Amino acid sequence: GIKPALLGKLVKKLMAQSVSDVMFGIGPLEFLRKNDDISEIMVVRSDKIFVELNGSLVETGLSFVSEESSKTITSSIIGRVGKQLNVQNPYEDARLEDGSRVNAVAMPISLDGTALTIRKFGKSALTLEQLIGYGCLNQAMASFLLGCVVSKKNIVVSGGTGTGKTTMVNWLATMIPPDERLVTVEDTAELRLGLPHVVRLEARPASSDGHGEVSIRDLVKNALRMRPDRIVIGECRGGEAFDMLQAMNTGHEGSLTTLHANNATEAMSRIENLVLMADQGLPIDAIRYQIAGAVDYVIQLTRY
């Protein structure tokens, strides 16, 4: 478990935080955002704030001055990316300047007040040594995966929420030879590949008047016209799975994507269901044939 002294140390640091952080940052969350030991910040309501600290959920004992203060700061975060949080638009996604992913839900959808979730983004991609040190994989597994990437095997990284799918894809992608052209497609840009030839595409939700949406599927279709050697899709969760299979089967070997599934077998069933969402009228046998031809390996991640 988490030692009380460790959490107490964090709270003491917060008390020493400068006034400017409170005034111009994100209130009592600013220090939490800057602390590298914290990977996620979860505001349940204005007076109940949790963090994920070294892999465990811990209540911080911190709070906003009031629900109004919580709502104001949350609206400010959402407003920085040109979005609004209000009665007509009570939930929204955004991204902080450091790349951290934000989800906000306001009343009346969130019954106890504004709920805010911040998935912090690391300053740099994890190295192989760090992944081995964390127990994510061992040297033999890493060598095998390196061979898969270099030999252009199509890989699906599967797992539940918070299992490190994006982290794994990011590490795998850093092993792609630097003379190849990559196009990345993400709902919220998180990948930091550090490669010389990467085009990064990010989806865009519809505006308040219902116009201007650019979906993951739109971006995947467009990526195929951009002469990529490989395509990296942050997460497949809709009809873009069909376009991903098309890409993997038509000259874009070595592509990567993630999806939510509890095991590798369920991952195949989930791809089937996602392809059906594309409404292409394909029989299930044809879909399975495409999957068999496209997907070489599934990396299944589990959170311990």
Side-chain angles (χ1 to χ4, degrees):
I2 300 300
K3 295 181 179 179
L6 179 58
L7 185 59
K9 186 177 180 181
L10 292 176
V11 175
K12 287 180 180 178
K13 285 185 179 180
L14 175 64
M15 301 308 294
Q17 189 75 2
S18 66
V19 175
S20 62
D21 277 345
V22 177
M23 294 179 62
F24 306 112
I26 52 177
L29 309 181
E30 185 68 19
F31 165 71
L32 303 177
R33 183 175 71 89
K34 292 179 178 179
N35 190 289
D36 293 336
D37 294 325
I38 293 172
S39 55
E40 195 136 7
I41 303 167
M42 293 151 280
V43 179
V44 177
R45 59 176 190 250
S46 62
D47 62 347
K48 190 178 286 290
I49 300 174
F50 286 80
V51 295
E52 183 177 66
L53 177 65
N54 295 329
S56 298
L57 290 181
V58 181
E59 186 172 358
T60 63
L62 306 173
S63 66
F64 288 92
V65 174
S66 63
E67 167 58 27
E68 190 61 32
S69 173
S70 173
K71 181 179 178 181
T72 299
I73 290 176
T74 302
S75 296
S76 174
I77 294 172
I78 299 300
R80 294 174 192 176
V81 293
K83 301 178 181 179
Q84 292 185 338
L85 193 69
N86 49 41
V87 174
Q88 291 75 31
N89 190 47
Y91 56 90
E92 193 58 86
D93 293 315
R95 190 174 70 249
L96 297 176
E97 60 274 10
D98 64 357
S100 296
R101 187 169 62 194
V102 178
N103 176 266
V105 187
M107 296 177 69
I109 302 301
S110 178
L111 299 180
D112 296 322
T114 305
L116 183 66
T117 309
I118 301 177
R119 171 76 61 85
K120 290 177 59 180
F121 194 61
K123 295 181 175 64
S124 60
L126 293 180
T127 64
L128 174 59
E129 291 73 20
Q130 288 174 310
L131 289 172
I132 291 176
Y134 292 148
C136 299
L137 74 171
N138 58 36
Q139 186 62 56
M141 295 163 67
S143 298
F144 176 77
L145 293 176
L146 173 60
C148 291
V149 172
V150 172
S151 60
K152 292 193 170 184
K153 300 300 182 184
N154 293 320
I155 298 174
V156 173
V157 178
S158 169
T161 300
T163 53
K165 296 186 297 296
T166 300
T167 297
M168 178 60 69
V169 166
N170 208 108
W171 175 69
L172 291 170
T174 59
M175 297 186 291
I176 294 173
D179 59 347
E180 295 188 26
R181 172 175 167 86
L182 272 69
V183 177
T184 67
V185 177
E186 299 177 85
D187 188 45
T188 301
E190 294 181 289
L191 296 172
R192 294 183 181 178
L193 306 184
L195 296 169
H197 198 159
V198 180
V199 179
R200 304 168 68 221
L201 305 179
E202 184 180 56
R204 184 180 69 188
S207 61
S208 56
D209 60 3
H211 297 94
E213 179 182 10
V214 180
S215 68
I216 293 290
R217 188 169 187 198
D218 294 331
L219 294 178
V220 173
K221 289 179 179 178
N222 190 75
L224 296 175
R225 307 186 186 105
M226 299 175 66
R227 196 249 171 241
D229 290 309
R230 309 189 194 215
I231 295 175
V232 180
I233 304 175
E235 181 183 344
C236 269
R237 56 187 181 190
E240 64 272 7
F242 171 76
D243 305 286
M244 176 198 71
L245 293 181
Q246 296 290 96
M248 290 178 169
N249 277 318
T250 56
H252 302 90
E253 294 90 354
S255 293
L256 303 166
T257 191
T258 75
L259 57 80
H260 278 76
N262 292 325
N263 55 60
T265 302
E266 286 188 17
M268 298 298 98
S269 298
R270 178 147 173 78
I271 294 176
E272 287 181 14
N273 293 331
L274 295 179
V275 171
L276 289 172
M277 291 174 65
D279 198 21
Q280 297 295 310
L282 292 175
I284 195 68
D285 286 346
I287 294 174
R288 290 173 178 173
Y289 183 82
Q290 290 236 11
I291 295 172
V295 179
D296 294 309
Y297 291 101
V298 176
I299 300 175
Q300 182 66 37
L301 303 180
T302 302
R303 182 171 182 157
Y304 290 106

